[in-house]
Amino acid sequence: MCGRFSLATDEFSVKVYLANRFNINRNAASLDLPRYNIAPGQMVLSLINDGRAFRHGYLKWGYVPDYDAKSQNPQRIINLRSETILEKSYLAASVAKRRCVILADGFYEWRKTSTGKIPFRIRSTDQELFPMAGLWNSHTDSRGNKEHTVAILTVAANGIVKDIHERMPVILNDTDAKLWLEAQPPSLVELKQLLLPYPDELTTMYEVSDIVNSYANESPACIVPAN
DNA sequence: CCAGACGTTGTT
DNA sequence: GTCTGG
DNA sequence: CCAGACGTTGTT
DNA sequence: GTCTGG
């Protein structure tokens, strides 16, 4: 699955990416980059389509479903199985109207061994920055604060990631990302067909230090190859 | 009609 | 062991 | 995802 | 919010 990732890129590169690939040029706001260790509960850089144009902004990682929006400690869903998003009634409105992508340049998975867990970083050889498919939602919590929350969609691990883990985030290419974000998609069934394991031949993976285990370690050491 | 359920992963 | 928080 | 916390009463 | 079940 995907419970930790990186966007270890400087702000300028991300702004160039947003301009070139998504025609986003209103870029005054600071993007708080680079990030080496992004964890659930934190704000993640996301793209949506507002019906006229692509927009970027921050969403809080941990999707709060409508049915739980008013509880004191709502369920916060960090991943959703892409295979079943069309079957879950509580997701219907998000699937229809609140699809998004989350920007990353790598994600972490842990291999379980008899002696413990070993972290790995997985990247694309094709896209320095890549969009991960997500669904977002809005709610007003019990104190009246508005929150925009997001879950990352998952899919079966590809041939590379399979060595260490059974699931991986849905990574899209730029073309499919735009389709996924399309405000008036041809059909939701067609959109769901975009949610596939990333191609093996475009995937690279390497072991990293267990420094990454603690989200408090927001440091370049997280992405340095182990040994 | 209303009431009740509604996640994921990994591990067992 | 299990939940919470980042 | 992992790390960290994990209680109660009564007093301030 | 939306579907299922009774």
Side-chain angles (χ1 to χ4, degrees), chain A residues 160-220:
Chain A
I160 306 296
V161 177
K162 212 173 201 167
D163 278 352
I164 63 166
H165 206 81
E166 291 183 352
R167 307 283 300 173
M168 69 187 294
V170 173
I171 296 175
L172 300 170
N173 59 45
D174 295 333
T175 305
D176 287 352
K178 289 175 187 176
L179 289 172
W180 174 248
L181 294 174
E182 173 56 53
Q184 272 90 36
S187 79
L188 298 180
V189 171
E190 281 180 51
L191 282 186
K192 196 191 139 192
Q193 291 167 357
L194 303 173
L195 308 177
L196 300 168
Y198 200 62
D200 290 6
E201 61 273 20
L202 303 180
T203 304
T204 180
M205 177 170 82
Y206 64 94
E207 187 180 335
V208 293
S209 159
D210 62 9
I211 278 177
V212 75
N213 288 12
S214 173
Y215 65 84
N217 293 325
E218 174 55 46
S219 126

Side-chain angles (χ1 to χ4, degrees), chain A residues 27-222:
Chain A
N27 271 329
S30 164
L31 294 182
D32 181 29
L33 295 170
R35 289 295 313 276
Y36 301 98
N37 198 349
I38 300 170
Q42 298 181 346
M43 304 303 280
V44 296
L45 186 58
S46 310
L47 305 183
I48 62 164
N49 182 336
D50 70 2
R52 299 174 168 215
F54 297 113
R55 287 175 47 200
H56 71 297
Y58 278 93
L59 297 170
K60 185 170 183 173
W61 190 8
Y63 180 104
V64 175
D66 289 335
Y67 65 77
D68 219 16
K70 281 169 188 158
S71 68
Q72 290 271 334
N73 252 321
Q75 185 173 198
R76 292 180 182 274
I77 299 166
I78 65 170
N79 291 135
L80 287 164
R81 297 178 65 87
S82 60
E83 294 92 334
T84 55
I85 54 171
L86 297 184
E87 298 159 21
K88 314 255 181 192
S89 53
Y90 75 95
L91 290 179
S94 284
V95 170
K97 294 181 296 195
R98 291 188 291 276
R99 297 177 305 279
C100 64
V101 299
I102 299 94
L103 288 189
D105 77 338
F107 66 93
Y108 300 103
E109 299 285 3
W110 281 257
R111 169 149 70 194
K112 292 208 171 187
T113 71
S114 50
T115 52
K117 295 177 179 179
I118 304 171
F120 287 78
R121 182 164 182 249
I122 298 97
R123 304 195 72 193
S124 166
T125 58
D126 194 43
Q127 314 178 87
E128 177 79 18
L129 299 177
F130 54 79
M132 301 187 288
L135 294 175
W136 65 280
N137 203 15
S138 291
H139 75 283
T140 304
D141 67 20
S142 47
R143 291 174 192 159
N145 302 317
K146 193 127 195 178
E147 262 190 4
H148 306 286
T149 61
V150 63
I152 296 172
L153 305 190
T154 64
V155 69
N158 67 18
I160 306 296
V161 177
K162 212 173 201 167
D163 278 352
I164 63 166
H165 206 81
E166 291 183 352
R167 307 283 300 173
M168 69 187 294
V170 173
I171 296 175
L172 300 170
N173 59 45
D174 295 333
T175 305
D176 287 352
K178 289 175 187 176
L179 289 172
W180 174 248
L181 294 174
E182 173 56 53
Q184 272 90 36
S187 79
L188 298 180
V189 171
E190 281 180 51
L191 282 186
K192 196 191 139 192
Q193 291 167 357
L194 303 173
L195 308 177
L196 300 168
Y198 200 62
D200 290 6
E201 61 273 20
L202 303 180
T203 304
T204 180
M205 177 170 82
Y206 64 94
E207 187 180 335
V208 293
S209 159
D210 62 9
I211 278 177
V212 75
N213 288 12
S214 173
Y215 65 84
N217 293 325
E218 174 55 46
S219 126
C222 292

